Amino acid sequence: MTRKTSKEKRLEPEFVNVDDVPVAFCRPDESVANGSLAVWLPYLGGNKETGIRELQQLAASGYFAISLDPWQHGDRKGTTTSSLRTRVFKEFRANMWPVLGITTLDTYRVIDWAIATYNLSGDVVAGGVSMGGDIAIALAGIDQRITRVAAIASTPEWTRPGMTDVMDPKKIIDQGIPTHLGEWLYKTLNPMTNRSAYSRAPAMHLEFGATDTHVSPQCALAFKEALEKECPAAAQAITIILNDGCNHLSLIQKHSIAKRAVEFLIG
């Protein structure tokens, strides 16, 4: 039987509840630990275990790397038997906006917990895939500690104008109307309508499929263009990459794209 080294054991995920939020994290080996924190968040339907590979990569580079179950995901599903995806895309704004907003706020307090519990004093960086990247971008608007964001097939605009079905690019989704809570979360956290929150110019690496009509790159391009007029330094800190031949699903399935995002977070 092959025994694992102490470094390999250290990279194994650990699990804990932070208040009511289930969390997974990987601690770096002491020889490479840099005191910094990295958050990696999953796509719609994912959970804290979805990005374990990315957490391990981040921890191997010295970061205390953490993920969590988004609201209504993983161990937070509750007793509902209906499909989350079905509910979200039947009434997108009523169901998705609370998931985005509540998870953004949950991640904020999980970051506080990690920094206090493990005495972290370095950079804080955040990334994720699709919905997870949406949350990472929104989080950077409220948490001034975040210096870098890497998002894959994600958007700074929660209204997603012209959003199509992920499986049918010809079918535009009727997004419905938000709940009162969802509307408040949108007004408070949506990056596109809270652009001044990015005036400190956190570095952003945004990857898109050039043919993605589910999460269109046009929203990110419009976000950057608006910032160029209002805060040029913030706009200059954003890099948008369009991947030819990729739609939403094909982009998020590419390991090379996730690797590139993690490398950006590592800096």
Side-chain angles (χ1 to χ4, degrees), residues 222-241:
F223 180 64
K224 181 172 182 175
E225 182 179 355
L227 285 174
E228 284 174 347
K229 298 175 182 177
E230 301 162 9
C231 183
Q236 291 165 12
I238 298 174
T239 299
I240 298 174
I241 298 177

Side-chain angles (χ1 to χ4, degrees), residues 9-15 24-27 49 52 55-56:
K9 288 180 180 178
R10 179 70 74 176
L11 293 181
E12 289 183 352
E14 301 175 59
F15 301 93
F25 62 90
C26 292
R27 285 189 268 181
E49 291 90 357
I52 291 297
L55 296 185
Q56 291 173 328

Side-chain angles (χ1 to χ4, degrees), residues 199-251:
S199 60
R200 74 183 194 287
M204 293 192 191
H205 176 92
L206 310 180
E207 297 261 7
F208 291 94
T211 61
D212 190 348
T213 55
H214 181 64
V215 179
S216 171
Q218 294 305 317
C219 292
L221 293 168
F223 180 64
K224 181 172 182 175
E225 182 179 355
L227 285 174
E228 284 174 347
K229 298 175 182 177
E230 301 162 9
C231 183
Q236 291 165 12
I238 298 174
T239 299
I240 298 174
I241 298 177
L242 303 182
N243 294 274
D244 291 337
C246 289
N247 59 20
H248 191 76
L249 291 178
S250 64
L251 185 73

Side-chain angles (χ1 to χ4, degrees), residues 149-165:
V149 173
I152 301 168
S154 308
T155 183
E157 174 53 276
W158 292 7
T159 63
R160 297 191 186 182
M163 176 176 61
T164 66
D165 189 302

Side-chain angles (χ1 to χ4, degrees), residues 158 182-190 193-194:
W158 292 7
E183 181 73 19
W184 180 84
L185 290 165
Y186 165 80
K187 289 180 178 178
T188 305
L189 301 172
N190 179 53
T193 47
N194 289 279

Side-chain angles (χ1 to χ4, degrees), residues 126-197:
V129 180
S130 195
M131 179 191 78
D134 296 352
I135 295 165
I137 297 169
L139 184 65
I142 60 172
D143 191 338
Q144 302 292 303
R145 295 166 295 189
I146 293 176
T147 57
R148 291 189 298 281
V149 173
I152 301 168
S154 308
T155 183
E157 174 53 276
W158 292 7
T159 63
R160 297 191 186 182
M163 176 176 61
T164 66
D165 189 302
V166 71
M167 302 302 294
D168 183 358
K170 295 181 180 179
K171 181 181 178 182
I172 295 179
I173 294 174
D174 181 356
Q175 298 188 30
I177 59 174
T179 61
H180 287 283
L181 172 62
E183 181 73 19
W184 180 84
L185 290 165
Y186 165 80
K187 289 180 178 178
T188 305
L189 301 172
N190 179 53
M192 186 63 176
T193 47
N194 289 279
R195 294 187 296 275
S196 62

